Amino acid sequence: MSDASTTHPALPSDAGARFASSARSVRTTAEPVESWLTDVARRSRMAVSIAPLTGLPNWYADPDTGDIRHRSGKFFTIHGLRVDLPGAPVPCWEQPIIDQPEIGTLGILAKEFDGVPHVLMQAKNEPGNVNGLQLSPTVQATRSNYTRVHGGRAVPYLEYFQDSPVHRLVTDVRQSEQGTWFFRKRNRNMVAETSDDVEVLDGFRWLSLAQVHRLLSVSDMVNMDTRTVLSCLPFTEVDPAGPGVDEFHTALARSTDARHGSRHHMDDILKWITDVRTAMDIHTDRVPLDLLTHWYNDGDRVRHVRDWFFDVIGVRVETVGREVSQWSQPILRPRAMGVVAFLVHRIDGVLHVLVHARAEPGYVDVAELAPTLQCTPATLAHLPESARPPLLDHVLNAPGDRIRFDAVQSEEGGRFYHARNRYLIVETDLGTAVEDQYPNYRWMTPHQLADLLRHSHYVNVQARSLLACLRSLHTPPPGR
Amino acid sequence: MSDASTTHPALPSDAGARFASSARSVRTTAEPVESWLTDVARRSRMAVSIAPLTGLPNWYADPDTGDIRHRSGKFFTIHGLRVDLPGAPVPCWEQPIIDQPEIGTLGILAKEFDGVPHVLMQAKNEPGNVNGLQLSPTVQATRSNYTRVHGGRAVPYLEYFQDSPVHRLVTDVRQSEQGTWFFRKRNRNMVAETSDDVEVLDGFRWLSLAQVHRLLSVSDMVNMDTRTVLSCLPFTEVDPAGPGVDEFHTALARSTDARHGSRHHMDDILKWITDVRTAMDIHTDRVPLDLLTHWYNDGDRVRHVRDWFFDVIGVRVETVGREVSQWSQPILRPRAMGVVAFLVHRIDGVLHVLVHARAEPGYVDVAELAPTLQCTPATLAHLPESARPPLLDHVLNAPGDRIRFDAVQSEEGGRFYHARNRYLIVETDLGTAVEDQYPNYRWMTPHQLADLLRHSHYVNVQARSLLACLRSLHTPPPGR
């Protein structure tokens, strides 16, 4: 009756250790990454100009609702949303939101060179990028892209993500994106490993994780899609010994390994998430864009009556070196820069991060684990005092020697125009009492976040970005 | 810098072994459960009569849409749904569906007696029950119940589930219910353990899992809510030795323990789920009940033009011994009995069940893991030949000695009228090749299902019911 096929022991593979080794692979290469990017930038051009929303080719405002749509019915729609969140500082509001039901593919191709995993990165421009090229995943495509709705060229390397047997996929999980700007958007975060000879096309380059990590400390250099895919990689530093490894880095290394303890058992974290999600009685209703109370389309853009929060503007794009040579599209432009921060703390020698179970209207399941702090300080002046997030001053007034990471990162330049956040990792002595004071906050280890990242709906995109930034601290800085 | 608080090793607690011991606790008790139920039934009455949907007190058909609503705005609404599922045998259809946004609590209170965990079960009647009382969780309450929208009595024992510290909760996870009848319904499945002296109210009784398990082999005796909560209990049989333990029961015991192998590593199962969910491009749109193409409200009931699938009817209820003494409500009445079955197979001495990643329009996230077979045979005659589910004949024609479990179970009697399914567990020799033939099917161990049941959105209510039935096979039958 028994079957001859092999069963698999429930053991972790060694992928986590191999990728952690790539984060320490700091050998210098013939051509520095920066000069390669400069070289690619010289040969690829993208001209972006702001254009009135009314009259964008192929886009129109639905006459019945005012919703902004593409004539093909594909890509995305911008409609209105009414949100009820009883008990919140702002218990109900209305806003425009992007509805993009297609699940896109964010894929990074990996391959070992001299025993060290490398990732194939793409120098890619997006219309919303503040600075042109950013380091992007190997593949970054919506279904409309790869089924060629706009008649563009084939997406290179897509075959590694469409036809791979499951065992060649290191990671394959759908994750949410900004829940205040997107309604239930999910992208598929994939890492495929190959031993093929891979032709490296113009604009692509193999990099070790160490090389990517060092670029994370440069503003607006590693794009959001790369950060989120990297956060879903298994990553376990089993041997933190080495020059320059102090107590902080030992605690950081331990925090990636399940064998070291965590303040809360995962079962208790899951029960806490159930409790928070049940208590937050969020309700959303789609409403026509034209009927939003405090927002209107003035022909040039969709704006808040007081110019708060964000606009939806139009852009015209002309490019050389990507799928099509010109297009126009609506794009969301935030009014100010945000702050995204993890407080971190060593508990029994293991680094923990303070996560916040945060409701956003676009999440599929009520709330996701967010950074300790995620806000736009300039917006707080428009909100009630109670909306001021906990620990804001603690983060912003941290002394310099407690700041472990500090760089401005861009959000996705395909949908957001010059959307930037200051990403901070700040060590604190606040300790565990903070959980009693703020019941929607918990200390968790990065390993626990990685464990939840095998599933959808748990860790929001800002926390994933910060997890990638935190992992960059495993890479020694240049000169060491 | 380090904190004095204790960190928790990432080890499983012993709850799984303790509850498995309760499943083997077959000591006879002073009063058999059956005679207790008979006694309770003698003292509690519920008279249920079918009534025209139009004119049910406190319920009305919305004049704009035909949607069926309660005047309070609470409880639930019945509206229309249009479903697009490209590539499916029926790629688009319309249907009525129940929308119940409130998250209810299904709570079982547990307590050790003589070192064996027992569960506090309730003999409870529901208007849709085919046979009156069924064994129900300690607490079974919607928010409308316990906030007393209908002015009823307080829900007993609710405090154990509302005020428990997280460490007294053995289980707390929101799970989906029927995705073809409910739109995004979730209930909170909770087990709370106490060492308090608990007053046992009339209609309640402490039972070992063994006692509940033996009642699972009796038709329509253990209600759906009990089955789903029990499926979320940790359950690990570490020592399968004992009289009557044959190869099947050894394989069954091993299948609850992560240390024994499984055909697929969990990471590969998760990647397979991502792949299936991405490929199934399901899309649903709410439509007014009045505008459904093949359905209409004839005043008595909402029906399909050909009397297929199900009706929505009205019932009037008069009762003694529950929160309120009389009410009326709409209720969904299926037209025929369904079949729900797991094929099971020993792979390297470990029992595996064949799960089916199945899309249903009411799921929050596209598809959930369903039993091998889940259908209503009488309905298949109305559908295209390609809609005939794989393995239907294999299950229905199984020889008697391969049928490990066979009992009719009721679905939830608060929303469904005489909704019954034949639950089957059938041993097969089909083996692992079946996965190549049917790519949306995978062999998994019950331990892996239990692991996924710590999360929402993975295992559907029929599979959870069957998992509870499978666990009942751990309990020796009477007379052994």
Side-chain angles (χ1 to χ4, degrees), chain A residues 1-13 101 103 143 166-167 169-174 184 186 188 258 261-268 270-272 274-275 277-279 281 283 345-349 352 364-366 402 427-429 431-432 452 454-458, chain B residues 1-13 101 103 143 166-167 169-174 184 186 188 258 261-268 270-272 274-275 277-279 281 283 345-349 352 364-366 402 427-429 431-432 452 454-458:
Chain A
M1 214 76 71
S2 178
D3 194 288
S5 75
T6 312
T7 57
H8 299 247
L11 286 175
S13 75
I103 294 177
R143 197 184 295 240
V166 83
H167 67 275
L169 294 176
V170 183
T171 289
D172 185 5
V173 61
R174 293 164 317 134
R184 299 196 176 157
R186 264 87 60 89
R188 193 169 176 175
S262 52
R263 172 158 167 76
H264 300 286
H265 193 285
M266 182 60 91
D267 282 330
D268 290 336
L270 295 175
K271 286 181 265 177
W272 167 70
T274 297
D275 192 51
R277 283 180 169 166
T278 309
D281 201 14
H283 188 77
H345 181 55
R346 292 177 235 160
I347 302 177
D348 290 351
H352 284 62
V364 167
D365 199 5
V366 185
R402 308 307 297 274
E427 206 170 15
T428 181
D429 295 327
T432 54
L452 292 181
R454 298 156 67 220
H455 308 278
S456 304
H457 314 302
Y458 278 122
Chain B
M1 215 80 69
S2 176
D3 195 287
S5 76
T6 313
T7 58
H8 299 247
L11 288 174
S13 75
I103 294 177
R143 198 185 294 241
V166 83
H167 67 274
L169 294 176
V170 183
T171 289
D172 185 5
V173 60
R174 293 163 318 136
R184 301 197 175 155
R186 265 89 58 91
R188 192 170 177 174
S262 52
R263 173 161 166 74
H264 300 285
H265 193 286
M266 182 59 91
D267 282 330
D268 290 336
L270 295 176
K271 286 182 265 178
W272 166 71
T274 297
D275 192 50
R277 283 179 169 168
T278 309
D281 200 15
H283 188 78
H345 182 55
R346 293 176 236 162
I347 302 178
D348 289 350
H352 284 61
V364 166
D365 199 6
V366 185
R402 308 305 298 272
E427 207 170 13
T428 182
D429 296 328
T432 54
L452 292 182
R454 297 156 68 219
H455 308 278
S456 303
H457 315 301
Y458 278 121

Side-chain angles (χ1 to χ4, degrees), chain B residues 387-400:
Chain B
R388 196 174 167 80
L391 305 166
L392 175 65
D393 298 330
H394 191 82
V395 168
L396 295 185
N397 302 333

Side-chain angles (χ1 to χ4, degrees), chain A residues 225-241:
Chain A
D225 295 339
T226 300
R227 301 194 304 271
T228 168
V229 177
L230 290 183
S231 77
C232 296
L233 262 183
F235 191 98
T236 314
E237 185 147 25
V238 286
D239 175 20

Side-chain angles (χ1 to χ4, degrees), chain B residues 32 37 124 138 157 168 171 201 205 343 350 383 424 431 433 460:
Chain B
L37 282 170
K124 190 171 182 186
T138 319
Y157 305 111
R168 302 310 299 266
T171 289
L201 300 174
R205 184 165 166 179
L343 286 180
V350 178
L383 298 177
L424 283 161
N460 83 350

Side-chain angles (χ1 to χ4, degrees), chain A residues 107-405:
Chain A
I108 291 182
L109 188 61
K111 181 179 170 172
E112 283 200 358
F113 294 92
D114 298 333
V116 177
H118 283 60
V119 289
L120 188 60
M121 293 280 98
Q122 181 183 178
K124 189 171 183 186
N125 212 331
E126 293 284 359
N129 284 3
V130 71
N131 58 339
L133 297 177
Q134 296 189 11
L135 220 55
S136 307
T138 320
V139 164
Q140 183 178 312
T142 61
R143 197 184 295 240
S144 295
N145 279 139
Y146 58 76
T147 57
R148 318 240 198 127
V149 171
H150 52 24
R153 282 181 276 165
V155 176
Y157 305 111
L158 186 62
E159 64 274 17
Y160 286 99
F161 304 95
Q162 291 198 313
D163 309 322
S164 274
V166 83
H167 67 275
R168 302 310 301 265
L169 294 176
V170 183
T171 289
D172 185 5
V173 61
R174 293 164 317 134
Q175 297 290 358
S176 67
E177 300 203 349
Q178 285 80 356
T180 56
W181 294 339
F182 278 124
F183 190 68
R184 299 196 176 157
K185 166 95 179 286
R186 264 87 60 89
N187 268 332
R188 193 169 176 175
N189 286 241
M190 304 179 82
V191 177
E193 202 159 11
T194 186
S195 52
D196 292 357
D197 280 332
V198 178
E199 184 194 1
V200 177
L201 300 174
D202 187 35
F204 290 81
R205 182 164 168 181
W206 290 110
L207 299 178
S208 70
L209 282 190
Q211 290 175 297
V212 179
H213 281 171
R214 286 182 174 176
L215 291 170
L216 271 167
S217 66
V218 181
S219 286
D220 305 302
M221 184 59 82
V222 178
N223 87 346
M224 184 191 92
D225 295 339
T226 300
R227 301 194 304 271
T228 168
V229 177
L230 290 183
S231 77
C232 296
L233 262 183
F235 191 98
T236 314
E237 185 147 25
V238 286
D239 175 20
V245 172
D246 56 13
E247 273 188 28
F248 177 84
H249 287 88
T250 303
L252 177 66
R254 284 179 175 167
S255 75
T256 65
D257 187 339
R259 291 171 305 173
H260 295 289
S262 52
R263 172 158 167 76
H264 300 286
H265 193 285
M266 182 60 91
D267 282 330
D268 290 336
I269 292 288
L270 295 175
K271 286 181 265 177
W272 167 70
I273 293 172
T274 297
D275 192 51
V276 171
R277 283 180 169 166
T278 309
M280 288 173 173
D281 201 14
I282 195 170
H283 188 77
T284 58
D285 276 311
R286 180 173 176 158
V287 290
L289 197 62
D290 271 352
L291 294 186
L292 290 180
T293 315
H294 295 109
W295 298 79
Y296 68 105
N297 184 341
D298 71 4
D300 278 347
R301 53 190 168 107
V302 176
R303 61 198 292 181
H304 187 268
V305 288
R306 299 199 181 173
D307 283 334
W308 290 349
F309 309 118
F310 60 83
D311 301 324
V312 180
I313 62 172
V315 286
R316 287 183 196 269
V317 188
E318 285 192 8
T319 179
V320 173
R322 66 182 283 156
E323 302 98 51
V324 294
S325 59
Q326 62 175 37
W327 75 90
S328 297
Q329 66 168 85
I331 197 164
L332 188 151
R333 179 176 65 181
R335 290 246 147 212
M337 187 185 288
V339 177
V340 172
F342 265 144
L343 285 179
V344 303
H345 181 55
R346 292 177 235 160
I347 302 177
D348 290 351
V350 178
L351 199 74
H352 284 62
V353 304
L354 189 61
V355 300
H356 171 210
R358 175 185 162 98
E360 296 188 8
Y363 291 150
V364 167
D365 199 5
V366 185
E368 298 195 1
L369 302 183
T372 316
L373 183 67
Q374 175 187 323
C375 73
T376 305
T379 298
L380 294 177
H382 315 319
L383 299 176
E385 179 66 24
S386 60
R388 195 175 169 80
L391 304 166
L392 175 65
D393 298 328
H394 192 80
V395 168
L396 296 185
N397 302 331
D401 63 343
R402 308 307 297 274
I403 298 176
R404 295 290 182 170
F405 183 93

